[in-house]
């Protein structure tokens, strides 16, 4: 039993987090990334609850996934109906997922208080719903809601609900710690008892209300559970779900379980950061395994020790999850990062070249100001090429003016930009309108430059994100703008940081245009 | 053995976190707060390592504490000297703490590689140092560094180091998971083995590199450990130390242990937030027990259930740790969420009132456009009050103009805004500059309104987030602006959505100002 099945619910339970809200396009992209990581099941949503989730199940069919199965989530049928007439159950079948997961009540208190039916009726709900779904969908997972609380209140009845699920043909029975308050030392005895009662493969679904979600999941695996549910970065309602970014490396590197491939594990940090980015959230620096500080050492005794033997103060090799050791006073790790990046961009850089050091200094300076090159690799490449003197001077902007005017109380503001650009010896002075100052500026810049570079017409602005960076003690706060642009062939990210949002946007826009010109020149 | 001793190291190990740095005055204040909470031991610093820590031990003597003992931290003596001549040991004694805690090596690999001495010599270091300190200070705690890794590598030697500590008279022997990578299911067998070898009371000190620090601490207590080390909010190097804000309520409310008084437990959330404040850090919303989202509910099903019986989806009563239940509004929500929210804002709303349905329709409509009311509860409250006609018309904005000008290639743009507002019958027309158009507009609006409402001066802008929402088929793309504002008493979030970023920002800004006026009127 060394194979553990990973079941990701970032797209369903993860979106219950207070600030997390994904568009359908985001959800499709995340599903592809989860598939790349090697996740076995991707829970896409609850099609019965909202139209956005129905759209996801439709759109995901157009995407070819490597191995992940798409799961739809729902509940047992309502009382006083049959599964084939239950709207929720029908919507699940209509979504045509690979797998259906439904939850049912385990805790007698919930049966009485929430469903207001008899304990016997609840067993019928579970049995009927699963048996019907098993006939109409390939694979059926049963989430035993509040399993641990239910077991503690009435163990006999809790086990009966699992037996009903087993009899109905559930392919996996998942023990859920729905309220997230179960303590780690309570799990072993309960799980051992369950194993004596049902033979169906078991899963675990935990929440982090006691800050024990990861530990509880790992303990469950140590006691023979073979299916683990969680979310990337632990996104989820209240204190979050079990964090797969911590569970996967523990299973794989420490417990000898097979989950994902070695190469896939190395993409864990990148995936974690992309999901934060798509949710427009600041990554948690101190996050286990994948955080920026997870392998950061503050100098002194630890530093000299880890340089000789990393295992003295590091529980795993950070490279295994795509992270790296950071020595907060040293530039050693920085330089190797830059060399690796240069190689990625086919830029010839020597570790002893003074330019390498210059780029490093430049980056440190920019990072102190709040630059963030993840998600803005086009800006990073331009920066390297500028330092090396291999970037053509495609154009320069002499100046601009943007005016936003709102004339009446019920009128929307109008934004208009004028720009002066210089290309070669020629100056172009023009104007354009836009939806807001940045869009007007973008339009005017492109209008001015398209005469010289017609392919700039192909660019589209896909995303524009702004973040105010908290001020350090006694310093002004900075604004960071991340722009995602694209054309028919590819997408690229650029970044600008300034205490003025227009200035930051301007720099990110100019980088986006320059990168397009550089890219087309190379082709 | 129901009494557990809490040993806080926020002031020592906590300050190893990348961004945490306290002034001596901060440290004194934190020590008083920890004493108020009922912490038994406060580790104030490592007097041998820096002058700031020496100053702390001097200044803390002038403060009267209720029950907390002050502990000084250090290491075993160096090789080739005696404790009375060892500088580190002498400084510990000179600091005159109530308790001294020293760490020593457990892991044979570290003895060879870091200390470069024989295994036998290391045992002498441990014995000598503790025996000397026991004579000169009232109470001595021994931290067995890397205990679990050391035990796994060489159990016999690891246990010998503990026996040396016991023979020297240590009052408590603390098993440290220094690298933070030990998994929860590994602890029970190791701890049981230790209990057969030493009779000295045992402690636990864990780190969060595997996201298991809290769980590992609780498992240790379940296996008879009586002294728990950790930090407030889990501050600490890399992924942090064990989080006492999660450990204390679990011990007290779930495991039947005595740690702190009932009234003291109620101050936990306040203490957590004050420590974040002093460290100049943003609190973690999703933090277990004490976070803003720890008892926040988004799903419609959950909300109607918790209103009848909170225990259905809450693992403890939030009031016990000074927190409270919050209901969120989103596309997953139903009518019960809106009613609950209205109650929270003291707005009288009836589920059968047609206004309730109107608000719900309104919200669904806005959410389809891209509104997101999580994190923008102030906008939500204003929306309800507008629908009910109970919002005063504090002011109206007749019009504005914002101009951003960049005159030369190397110059930063300058932003200037003019606004016309109407308050009662009076019109105010004024202008201001800013870091970008939104800031200029904000400044001009406030300048115009401060004449009428001087308390608007108290508002600060804490965060400003922008997201471009991709266009649906045949529609323009929308921009969503989320603003977090605050004054001395509280913080509030507002939202604006428009196809024009200035318009979206304008709406979020106006909501922020109106909310401040509404809030102050209620007080």
């Amino acid at each position: 039993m060394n194979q553990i099945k990973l079941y990701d619910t970032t797209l369903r339970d993860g979106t219950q987090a207070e600030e997390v809200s994904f568009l359908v396009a985001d959800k499709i992209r995340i599903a592809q990334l989860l598939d790349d990581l090697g996740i076995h099941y991707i829970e896409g949503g609850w099609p019965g609850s909202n139209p956005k989730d129905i759209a996801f199940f439709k759109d995901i069919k157009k995407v070819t996934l490597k191995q992940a199965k798409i799961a739809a989530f729902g509940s047992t049928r309502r009382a006083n109906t049959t599964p084939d007439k239950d709207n929720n159950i029908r919507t699940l079948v209509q979504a045509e997922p690979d797998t259906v997961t439904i939850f049912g009540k385990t805790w007698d208190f919930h049966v009485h208080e929430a469903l207001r039916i008899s304990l016997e009726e609840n067993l019928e709900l579970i049995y009927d719903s699963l048996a019907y779904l098993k006939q109409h969908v390939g694979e059926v997972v049963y989430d035993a809601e509040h399993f641990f609380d239910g077991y503690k209140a009435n163990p006999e009845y809790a086990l009966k609900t699992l037996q009903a699920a087993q009899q109905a043909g559930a392919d996996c029975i998942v023990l859920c710690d729905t309220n997230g308050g179960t303590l780690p030392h309570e799990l072993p005895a309960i799980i051992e008892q369950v194993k004596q009662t049902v033979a169906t493969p078991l899963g675990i679904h935990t929440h982090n209300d006691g800050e024990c979600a990861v530990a509880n999941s790992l303990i469950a695996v140590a006691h023979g559970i073979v299916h683990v549910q969680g979310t990337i970065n632990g996104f989820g309602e209240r204190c979050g779900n079990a964090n797969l970014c911590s569970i996967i490396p523990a299973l794989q590197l420490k417990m000898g379980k097979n989950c994902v491939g070695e190469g896939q594990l190395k993409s864990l940090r990148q995936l974690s950061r992309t999901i934060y980015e798509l949710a427009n959230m600041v990554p948690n620096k101190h996050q286990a395994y994948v955080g920026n500080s997870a392998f950061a050492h503050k100098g002194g005794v630890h530093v000299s020790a880890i340089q000789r033997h990393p295992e003295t103060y590091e529980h795993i090799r950070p490279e295994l999850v795509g992270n790296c050791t950071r020595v907060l006073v040293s530039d050693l790790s920085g330089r190797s990062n830059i060399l690796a990046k240069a190689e990625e961009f086919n830029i010839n850089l020597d570790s002893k070249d003074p330019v390498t050091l210059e780029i490093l200094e430049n980056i440190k300076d920019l990072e102190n100001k709040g630059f963030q090159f993840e998600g803005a690799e086009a800006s990073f490449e331009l920066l390297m090429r500028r330092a090396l003197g291999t970037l053509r001077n495609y154009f320069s902007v002499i100046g601009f003016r943007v005016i936003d005017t709102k004339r009446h109380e019920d009128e929307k503001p109008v934004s208009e930009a004028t720009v002066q650009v210089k290309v070669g010896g020629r100056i172009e002075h023009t104007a354009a309108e836009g939806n807001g100052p940045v869009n007007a500026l973008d339009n005017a810049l492109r209008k001015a430059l398209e005469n010289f570079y017609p392919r700039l017409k192909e660019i589209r602005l896909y995303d524009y994100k702004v973040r105010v960076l908290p001020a350090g003690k006694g310093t002004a706060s900075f604004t960071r703008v991340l722009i995602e642009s694209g054309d028919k062939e590819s997408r690229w990210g650029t970044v600008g940081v300034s205490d003025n949002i227009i200035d930051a946007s301007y720099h990110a826009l100019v980088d986006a245009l320059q990168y397009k010109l550089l890219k087309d020149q190379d082709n």
Side-chain angles (χ1 to χ4, degrees), chain A residues 11-281:
Chain A
L11 300 179
R12 205 271 306 169
D13 232 7
T15 63
Q16 297 277 328
E18 200 171 331
E19 61 279 77
V20 173
S21 167
F22 294 121
L23 306 164
V24 175
D26 291 336
K27 292 182 82 165
I28 298 290
R29 186 161 165 213
I30 291 170
Q32 290 174 294
L33 293 169
L34 293 169
D35 182 48
D36 289 342
L37 177 67
I39 294 290
H40 307 97
Y41 295 90
I42 297 168
E43 193 170 82
W46 185 342
S49 74
N50 66 79
K52 203 198 270 179
D53 284 2
I54 291 176
F56 169 83
F57 287 99
K58 219 173 132 194
D59 290 1
I60 195 69
K61 291 200 178 59
K62 300 168 200 154
V63 175
T64 310
L65 299 176
K66 292 190 188 75
Q67 89 288 323
K69 291 184 181 178
I70 297 295
F73 181 83
S75 73
T76 50
R77 69 163 170 83
R78 281 167 191 269
N80 305 321
T81 181
T82 52
D84 59 306
K85 290 192 185 113
D86 185 273
N87 213 29
N88 169 50
I89 301 269
R90 285 169 58 166
T91 318
L92 282 172
V93 175
Q94 282 157 10
E96 297 181 346
D98 304 309
T99 305
V100 157
T101 301
I102 57 167
F103 73 93
K105 299 288 182 198
T106 321
W107 192 354
D108 54 1
F109 164 70
H110 268 260
V111 176
H112 293 311
E113 288 298 332
L115 297 185
R116 302 181 180 207
I117 57 175
S118 73
L119 295 180
E120 194 50 47
E121 253 181 302
N122 179 49
L123 296 178
E124 287 164 21
L125 256 58
I126 296 169
Y127 179 86
D128 284 1
S129 308
L130 287 168
Y132 178 84
L133 287 166
K134 182 68 188 163
Q135 278 190 324
H136 292 83
V137 188
E139 190 178 14
V140 182
V141 173
Y142 177 64
D143 276 6
E145 196 193 25
H146 288 114
F147 177 74
F148 296 95
D149 294 317
Y151 183 90
K152 285 190 257 176
N154 184 344
E156 199 192 332
Y157 183 70
L159 293 173
K160 269 191 190 164
T161 66
L162 304 190
Q163 284 169 321
Q166 172 167 280
Q167 279 153 20
D171 295 285
C172 181
I173 293 176
V174 182
L175 311 179
C176 300
D177 185 28
T178 308
N179 291 5
T182 303
L183 296 185
H185 64 276
E186 299 175 314
L187 272 81
I190 299 178
I191 293 173
E192 291 303 328
Q193 192 59 50
V194 171
K195 278 158 65 182
Q196 288 180 20
T197 312
V198 294
T200 307
L202 296 175
I204 184 86
H205 172 112
T206 63
H207 285 260
N208 207 28
D209 299 75
E211 213 186 323
C212 295
V214 167
N216 286 350
S217 303
L218 298 177
I219 288 171
V221 171
H223 284 271
I225 269 171
V226 293
H227 162 122
V228 179
Q229 301 194 351
T231 63
I232 301 298
N233 302 324
F235 285 177
E237 192 168 29
R238 304 189 310 270
C239 306
N241 285 55
N243 182 359
L244 288 178
C245 294
S246 299
I247 290 173
I248 297 171
L251 291 177
Q252 189 112 348
L253 300 173
K254 300 185 177 189
M255 292 173 75
K257 302 292 178 185
N258 293 328
C259 310
V260 302
E262 208 177 295
Q264 290 169 317
L265 191 60
K266 281 189 182 144
S267 71
L268 193 65
R269 175 174 146 92
Q270 190 51 54
L271 174 71
S272 157
R273 300 185 80 78
T274 306
I275 304 284
Y276 275 119
E277 200 57 53
L278 288 171
N280 201 12
M281 282 169 69

Side-chain angles (χ1 to χ4, degrees), chain A residues 307-327:
Chain A
Q307 274 168 348
R308 277 183 289 143
H309 299 284
E311 64 272 40
T312 50
Y313 291 99
E314 290 181 345
H315 69 126
I316 63 156
R317 298 305 317 261
E319 298 80 13
L320 297 172
V321 292
N323 209 341
C324 61
T325 299
R326 278 170 63 225
V327 175

Side-chain angles (χ1 to χ4, degrees), chain A residues 404-443:
Chain A
D404 311 286
T405 316
K406 181 181 163 88
R407 283 185 208 87
H408 306 290
E409 217 174 306
D410 300 324
E411 190 196 76
K412 254 202 322 214
V414 173
S415 301
E416 187 199 7
T418 64
V419 298
Q420 261 192 307
V421 297
K422 195 159 81 179
V423 180
R426 272 182 62 192
I427 288 177
E428 186 78 25
H429 191 175
T430 189
E433 285 198 343
N435 292 324
V438 178
N439 186 234
L441 185 60
D442 185 22
N443 290 342

